[in-house]
Amino acid sequence: MQTTISTILKRKKHGQKITMLTAYDYPTAKLADAAGVDIILVGDSLANVVLGLESTRDVGMDEMLHHAKAVRRAVKKALLVGDMPYSSYQKRPVAAARNAKRFAQAAGCGAVKLEWFPRCLEVVRQIRKAGIPVMGHVGLTPQTADKLGGFKVQGRDAESAAAIIRNAAALQEAGCFSIVLECIPDAIARLITQRLKIPTIGIGAGRSCDGQVLVLYDLLGLSDRFHPKFVKAYAHLGPLILRAIARYRADVTAGRFPSRKYSYSMRREEWERLRKILL
Ligand code: KIV
């Protein structure tokens, strides 16, 4: 059965945890969906994780849609969420609803996600007016990390914690169906989760959140970027892939690959006929 916004809201009501993962391509999205993950986010972490860019601010709508379409082809059950890149709503808030519609119409996303910024409430309302569900994102917001003192835990002092709590409540009020809480103390995430009717999805926000999200390539041990404390690698595919490629290279170099097993043959009489044609 297809996971919908209502499925996600019911999870909180029934105290059932929500699982969310990023995916950027067809094969990994297919695996995440088959494993029963509830929400698949085509995250703008695409920028760092897949495209080798410095900042998530460097990825644009066209690249996001290109990957979202590939993920859409793979996902049969999970709720698909498109992550709004910085330029699609923060740089030009007037373009936000139009860009959200592109995620829905061109890539079949069931919702979009956007990060907190001063005008985000008006942007959420515009996108909701266009009929598209919105997931909020507070705490450490990577697109504007420079304004937050870098990639650091947020809300460690009373004032900044109060601001995050207020922002989360305001996003619920503006119509978000859920909120990502990134890199904040456990106690603050617990308070927000208790206060809000909509589900909270944590990343570096402790175990009290209604759900959890991780970047898939971090979980798989496939990314060489800096790993914050909250990342748990459930596999170490990087060294495994490196070994496989090195063996392939060694086999080709030594003439062991492709062996007969990996080659096509031709019937003898056809070979003889060919020789006559060529003579
Ligand atoms: O882009 C991303 O990966 C995110 C995280 C919250 C997982 O936004």
Side-chain angles (χ1 to χ4, degrees):
M1 211 170 60
Q2 173 72 45
T3 304
T4 61
I5 303 291
S6 135
T7 323
I8 299 302
L9 295 173
K10 276 189 203 142
R11 287 283 166 83
K12 174 158 182 144
K13 219 167 146 195
H14 298 135
Q16 297 163 338
K17 292 282 186 188
I18 298 159
T19 53
M20 171 162 145
L21 264 185
T22 66
Y24 319 97
D25 57 49
Y26 179 87
T28 57
K30 203 163 180 186
L31 292 169
D33 197 45
V37 167
D38 299 308
I39 305 175
I40 295 183
L41 171 73
V42 184
D44 66 347
S45 49
L46 166 77
N48 325 103
V49 177
V50 175
L51 302 180
L53 296 167
E54 264 299 304
S55 161
T56 54
R57 281 167 83 135
D58 298 332
V59 75
M61 236 359 245
D62 289 345
E63 289 144 310
M64 290 299 297
L65 284 178
H66 178 74
H67 286 264
K69 285 181 194 172
V71 171
R72 174 73 282 166
R73 288 176 208 120
V75 172
K76 300 283 176 267
K77 188 168 178 290
L79 174 68
L80 182 60
V81 179
D83 206 2
M84 302 277 292
Y86 176 81
S87 58
S88 75
Y89 71 108
Q90 293 208 33
K91 213 164 149 192
R92 295 189 55 228
V94 287
R98 185 168 44 80
N99 284 318
K101 273 193 202 162
R102 290 177 75 195
F103 267 119
Q105 289 166 2
C109 291
V112 295
K113 176 171 87 58
L114 53 81
E115 297 182 8
W116 176 270
F117 79 110
R119 291 179 65 185
C120 73
L121 298 177
E122 126 198 13
V123 165
V124 170
R125 286 190 205 103
Q126 287 298 326
I127 299 175
R128 290 295 299 119
K129 222 191 260 175
I132 298 159
V134 184
M135 178 182 276
H137 184 156
V138 299
L140 175 58
T141 45
Q143 292 173 357
T144 45
D146 53 334
K147 296 192 174 73
L148 303 172
F151 286 81
K152 287 186 186 159
V153 182
Q154 302 295 308
R156 272 191 151 153
D157 61 84
E159 288 76 20
S160 65
I164 294 170
I165 295 165
R166 275 197 299 271
N167 294 349
L171 282 168
Q172 170 175 273
E173 193 58 34
C176 284
F177 76 96
S178 66
I179 303 193
V180 167
L181 307 181
E182 179 161 352
C183 220
I184 60 173
D186 200 352
I188 305 306
R190 192 177 325 121
L191 203 62
I192 296 173
T193 303
Q194 284 163 356
R195 285 182 171 207
L196 295 192
K197 290 192 193 77
I198 58 172
T200 57
I201 316 276
I203 176 162
R207 62 203 293 190
S208 306
C209 299
D210 298 304
Q212 295 293 327
V213 57
L214 276 180
V215 167
L216 179 64
Y217 284 25
D218 292 345
L219 175 159
L220 295 176
L222 196 54
S223 101
D224 62 357
R225 66 190 190 132
F226 164 73
H227 281 176
K229 173 181 167 168
F230 61 74
V231 169
K232 179 171 177 184
Y234 284 82
H236 299 281
L237 294 193
L240 214 66
I241 293 173
L242 183 64
R243 274 201 299 277
I245 296 171
R247 280 175 52 210
Y248 159 75
R249 181 176 172 272
D251 277 0
V252 171
T253 312
R256 288 190 296 268
F257 178 82
S259 61
R260 283 185 72 173
K261 183 179 168 191
Y262 300 99
S263 307
Y264 299 102
S265 60
M266 191 178 182
R267 287 213 317 272
R268 179 143 202 99
E269 50 282 23
E270 289 306 316
W271 174 248
E272 290 308 332
R273 271 185 359 95
L274 175 66
R275 283 185 54 187
K276 278 184 198 139
I277 292 168
L278 295 181
L279 273 180

